[in-house]
Amino acid sequence: MMKLNLSDIRYNWVVIFIIQLLLSPGIDVFSQAMPVDTVYNQSYDWRPGQRETLPEWVFASQRKGRVVGISDPRMKSEAARMLALQRAAYLYSLQQGVQLRLLSDVFSTMETASNTYEDQRNKMLVLGVIEHPVQHVSYRIEHEYTSIFGEKFLEVSFTPSNDSCDFSYHFVSELMLLFTKERVEEEEVKFNLLLESDSCREQSDQSWFQLKGTQSSPQIISYMNGVEICSSQEGCWYEDAGFGGQDGLEKMDMRNAFWNAYMSSLVKALLLYPFSDVNVKQVDDRFNGGTDSGCGLYREKVVAVLSIFPFIKDIRNNKLCVDWQITEQQNIIRK
């Protein structure tokens, strides 16, 4: 039997991340937040089932340095534009290259009774974090569009800049997956994105987005400068658009708006990505008695620099299809 020395793989960031993501409820970030009001929210009326037709440039292949950022629905125009710009800057950074730190714990058991019936149980916990330092960029808005739901779509071109007065930003994004399989499979996903930006204005802007729950029934929380952005109760519906023929890619429900489906797709792509080099620690125990049982526990750890380039392919039956092209620029294993 091998002994697993946890001290070899215990990072400070892991401890901090687990405390942040699992022990704190997340919403405490804005425990002193202002009540929901009309500072950033605006009422948009549409008929139930009414469908939005998005412009073609949303689906056009984006060149490097050019991305499409999307705000939440039901926002006032200026606030929606700033939120869409922040999110475009986040996607721009993913293109340029970011460091992902990922930790996975997998536990499985297999029991075989005298009648040869096998009972298998699996549990997996995945924790990941991407933190990007302050970046200074200049930008140009190439296209702008507001949907019937109040979402702001911006196609933005970014270039690096030494002028901190133009536009500066940084972000932290975290993801968690908890998967269990006993009699049935259960999966819980959590994704946090904190964005802060500054320009020549006196006030900086901060947004916070959280997606949690399951892929089929997500819960969405979104804030702008401490004010909650009201979600749509009617649901968002979009006309079919794009290129089609993407049967091999994951499709995400869009009833909770475009950005939510977009981020759900990103989380799925990161969790399924086959890293080229993974550091694995493993311990195996076997016990013989009335039944033959096996127990396996192993931990996978990756620190990698990734370039993440999204291609928004199409919308079919109110489901979004995105081809996330992920490339490992560098792979770092730390003990």
Side-chain angles (χ1 to χ4, degrees), residues 41 71 77 95 122 141 213 314 332:
N41 293 283
S71 76
S77 181
Q95 278 190 8
N122 296 292
I141 296 177
D314 67 14
I332 308 167

Side-chain angles (χ1 to χ4, degrees), residues 15 30 47 101 113 126 137 223 231-232 258 285 329 334:
V15 177
F30 298 112
R47 300 186 308 275
R101 295 172 287 179
V126 181
V137 294
Y223 279 79
S231 59
S232 167
F258 197 108
D285 294 328
Q329 295 184 356
R334 296 177 180 173

Side-chain angles (χ1 to χ4, degrees), residues 16 34 44 54 73-74 76 87-88 90-92 142 156 164 171 179-180 182 201-202 207 246 278 284 295 310:
I16 294 171
M34 293 178 285
Y44 285 80
L54 294 173
R74 294 182 174 273
K76 288 189 173 180
R87 290 173 173 178
Y90 170 65
L91 296 172
Y92 167 72
E142 306 288 350
V156 189
S164 60
F171 70 82
F179 173 84
T180 60
E182 293 185 6
R201 299 185 306 164
E202 294 182 0
S207 63
Q246 307 299 325
V278 180
D284 288 308
C295 170

Side-chain angles (χ1 to χ4, degrees), residues 22-284:
L22 300 180
L23 300 185
S24 66
I27 198 68
D28 287 345
V29 173
F30 298 112
S31 58
Q32 302 300 320
M34 293 178 285
V36 174
D37 55 20
T38 58
V39 174
Y40 301 116
N41 293 283
Q42 180 173 323
S43 176
Y44 285 80
D45 296 321
W46 62 89
R47 300 186 308 275
Q50 184 178 356
R51 294 181 179 268
E52 166 64 43
T53 302
L54 294 173
E56 291 183 0
W57 54 261
V58 173
F59 304 92
S61 296
Q62 306 299 313
R63 300 191 300 270
K64 190 169 185 178
R66 183 179 290 194
V67 289
V68 175
I70 308 105
S71 76
D72 293 327
R74 294 182 174 273
M75 293 189 68
K76 288 189 173 180
S77 181
E78 286 302 316
R81 184 177 294 108
M82 177 53 64
L83 183 57
L85 180 60
Q86 282 189 333
R87 290 173 173 178
Y90 170 65
L91 296 172
Y92 167 72
S93 290
L94 296 184
Q95 278 190 8
Q96 302 306 302
V98 292
Q99 186 183 89
L100 170 67
R101 295 172 287 179
L102 197 67
L103 181 72
S104 303
D105 280 342
V106 180
F107 178 74
S108 63
T109 62
M110 175 70 76
E111 295 183 358
T112 304
S114 57
N115 60 0
T116 70
Y117 169 76
E118 291 185 347
D119 184 16
Q120 183 176 2
R121 298 185 179 97
N122 296 292
K123 293 184 180 181
M124 179 171 63
L125 174 64
V126 181
L127 303 171
V129 62
I130 299 173
E131 184 171 5
H132 205 60
V134 175
Q135 297 290 308
H136 302 289
V137 294
S138 58
Y139 68 91
R140 183 175 68 250
I141 296 177
E142 306 288 350
H143 294 97
E144 180 173 339
Y145 177 76
T146 302
S147 74
I148 59 175
F149 312 121
E151 302 159 291
K152 184 75 72 175
F153 288 75
L154 295 182
E155 184 183 26
V156 189
S157 294
F158 289 96
T159 55
S161 172
N162 295 322
D163 184 7
S164 60
C165 189
D166 192 358
F167 188 76
S168 61
Y169 68 94
H170 78 277
F171 70 82
V172 179
S173 55
E174 306 165 335
L175 63 92
M176 181 197 77
L177 168 68
L178 180 61
F179 173 84
T180 60
K181 180 180 179 181
E182 293 185 6
R183 295 290 184 267
V184 296
E185 292 185 1
E186 295 181 357
E187 181 179 284
E188 180 182 354
V189 175
K190 190 171 184 179
F191 175 76
N192 292 333
L193 175 60
L194 177 64
L195 286 158
E196 292 185 320
S197 64
D198 201 354
S199 59
C200 291
R201 299 185 306 164
E202 294 182 0
Q203 180 182 353
S204 60
D205 292 287
Q206 183 185 79
S207 63
W208 185 75
F209 171 84
Q210 183 183 82
L211 182 153
K212 63 180 181 179
T214 63
Q215 296 285 357
S216 60
S217 182
Q219 301 176 43
I220 309 298
I221 303 172
S222 186
Y223 279 79
M224 185 75 179
N225 292 329
V227 178
E228 184 176 4
I229 305 302
C230 297
S231 59
S232 167
Q233 301 300 317
E234 296 87 355
C236 299
W237 301 85
Y238 303 83
E239 291 285 357
D240 289 356
F243 306 106
Q246 307 299 325
D247 295 335
L249 297 175
E250 192 79 19
K251 298 175 177 60
M252 298 298 172
D253 196 296
M254 302 183 71
R255 284 176 294 177
N256 290 302
F258 197 108
W259 178 255
N260 304 325
Y262 205 18
M263 289 299 98
S264 294
S265 178
L266 171 60
V267 172
K268 197 77 171 182
L270 288 174
L271 291 173
L272 294 178
Y273 181 74
F275 292 96
S276 62
D277 195 5
V278 180
N279 190 17
V280 179
K281 298 286 187 177
Q282 182 169 342
V283 58
D284 288 308

